[in-house]
Amino acid sequence: MANSNADAEEKKEMDIRSFSSSQHNQTPYIHKVGVPPKQGIFKEFKTTVKETFFADDPLRPFKDQTRSRKVVLGLQAIFPILDWGRSYNLRKFRGDLISGLTIASLCIPQDIGYSKLANLAPQYGLYSSFVPPLVYAFMGSSRDIAIGPVAVVSLLLGTLLRNEIDPSKHPDEYLRLAFTATFFAGITQATLGILRLGFLIDFLSHAAVVGFMGGAAITIALQQLKGFLGIKKFTKKTDIISVMKSVFHSVEHEWNWQTILIGATFLTFLLFAKYIGKKNKKLFWVPAIAPLISVILSTFFVYITHADRRGVAIVGPIEKGINPPSVDKIYFSGDYLIKGIRTGIVAGVIALTEAVAIGRTFASMKDYQLDGNKEMVALGTMNIVGSMTSCYVATGSFSRSAVNYMAGCQTAFSNIVMSVVVFLTLEFITPLFKFTPNAILAAIIISAVLGLIDYEAAILIWKIDKFDFVACIGAFFGVVFASVEIGLLIAVTISFAKILLQVTRPRTATLGRIPRTNVYRNTQQYPEATKVPGVLIVRVDSAIYFSNSNYIKERILRWLMDEEEQRKAASDPKIQFLIVEMSPVTDIDTSGIHALEELHRSLKKRNVQLVLSNPGRVVIDKLHASKFPDQIGEDKIFLTVADAVLTCSLKLPEEV
């Protein structure tokens, strides 16, 4: 072992000597770094704005088109149904009809349950699966999203609204505030799409969303214990400690064994149906129709046995008929306006995040492009219209969208089919739900939200990025042990903290030469990379801004001090050149240039020369504007690290 190490060291030294001698024996041709021509301020501003807001070049289809064609393309951009509707045929209709009927059978019992999460009467959940899907079918660009109320948004909306108004004491004011929040949720979504600000929702990291969704799923499931166990007096808090206290305090007096029997039996049935669907993808329809079968059977059982007289809580009468207008119920002034706006913005952003994530997932599976900004406008418009027709916040449902996809949907027409079925339900069938036990709705919601707990994603996040896992677990525990709002706040805070940390503390690395090449790489990643005598090479892996410029300067000086100590201990030549590899530096501001000037002065005092390698177009342009090359010398800026090392090596004393 000792001999092999000695051989490796000797080979390394020979490599360094051969490299050094080869540098001195050749006359190099050094490529100069190109300085771009000056851009006008208007052109530069125009380019920046275009890349920020119009990176997808949405006006490309309009180029070189006649005026009439531009009008048609404009209408198709607003209403995609005018585009895909031209090629619609019987085969596509058959797929959409089957998928529409399947998701309708799933959505009807779910909607009744989700409306309870939002502290609203059951019919409002059905209303929200009638009008919004119709609007989305005309304006949405996803072929697979199934629109309607979802568990997380329903819980979030119900929690935020209940903090403002008690729904049991002031039901009319609560309902009005729900419509107001829905209206401003739609305004928020549409505004983000029209102003092309969709990239803002990406600031909520995937890890934080995974944790938030998992925590919300646990919270929703715990909330269903009221209906599942037949408890009448239940805490209004959502944290796990308060809920479990409420559950165990009522164990002796309020638990109803008939209710528990109904809930446990059908929850087992629903979970078994889900298991069958996962085992055999062709049987996707089994878990899709299982909730409706459960509702029918449990309702029939309660009706014939009169179980409601023995303490089994039932849904009760559901108002018959389609959505009544609610424009006059929206608060446009008064004390509740600000509360509605605040709640609407939060609910709208969360609904948007979920819908866009779902849309992108299925679009990638079917290999088609999804326009995020169009989606936002479509979702916003449907919620604005929905708020005026007695609906609360609707968005894309992952469970229903998955069923829609597996059922073979071809276009957004499946949402129209679902909407028609809900319409028929509201007109003719709602009286039949009167004897539906609350326990079955609790079982349906519990079985639905369990899919939101993505433990496999959490494990993967732990393996990939520990800081991401902190965001995930922080959001999870915030929701479970505090509240939905606290969990959301933690998720957003940790996501922004990660961004700030990455911006203010960017990575730097020392580089060495890969043996028998002119390639320079990170010495920690490539331990075999050799250091150049008398030269230290440092790479900066970030743009240099006011937020990190001082850190980068100090970090480079620390690299220099550490390297000098190591080389002194090994009796290696003193460092005379410090090369800063700037390929990853995408931009620099005045603070960054000032930091480079300070670095240059500090190095000068140590008799070390500053050398730059491969600054990009924007960086070199700004460096020349500040006359920084005049300070270090034009001959100290090189196209590659190899050119810089070659030139520096030639200038080193012969003994080095």
Side-chain angles (χ1 to χ4, degrees), residues 212 484-494:
F212 175 76
V484 177
E485 310 100 285
I486 297 296
L488 183 59
L489 181 63
I490 291 173
V492 173
T493 302
I494 295 178

Side-chain angles (χ1 to χ4, degrees), residues 16-141:
I16 293 173
R17 286 198 296 271
S18 65
F19 170 74
S20 183
S21 62
S22 68
Q23 308 295 355
H24 286 282
N25 292 335
Q26 60 179 301
T27 303
Y29 174 76
I30 305 299
H31 293 273
K32 293 293 183 182
V33 175
V35 181
K38 274 285 185 184
Q39 271 191 334
I41 188 169
F42 177 75
K43 186 177 180 182
E44 187 175 349
F45 177 75
K46 180 182 175 183
T47 303
T48 303
V49 170
K50 182 180 177 183
E51 285 303 310
T52 303
F53 299 104
F54 304 98
D56 56 344
D57 196 7
L59 299 179
R60 180 188 293 270
F62 293 86
K63 290 180 181 178
D64 305 321
Q65 300 291 338
T66 61
R67 183 175 296 179
S68 59
R69 181 59 182 162
K70 286 179 180 178
V71 172
V72 172
L73 290 173
L75 290 172
Q76 288 178 352
I78 299 171
F79 303 104
I81 193 172
L82 298 177
D83 183 23
W84 56 260
R86 293 183 304 162
S87 58
Y88 202 70
N89 53 41
L90 188 61
R91 183 184 63 81
K92 290 181 179 179
F93 174 73
R94 192 185 307 116
D96 288 339
L97 179 64
I98 294 170
S99 56
L101 292 172
T102 307
I103 58 176
S105 68
L106 177 62
C107 87
I108 291 169
Q110 282 187 348
D111 290 345
I112 296 172
Y114 292 159
S115 61
K116 288 186 175 292
L117 286 175
N119 302 311
L120 296 169
Q123 65 267 19
Y124 293 104
L126 295 171
Y127 292 162
S128 302
S129 280
F130 172 44
V131 173
L134 285 177
V135 177
Y136 182 84
F138 282 85
M139 300 187 68
S141 55

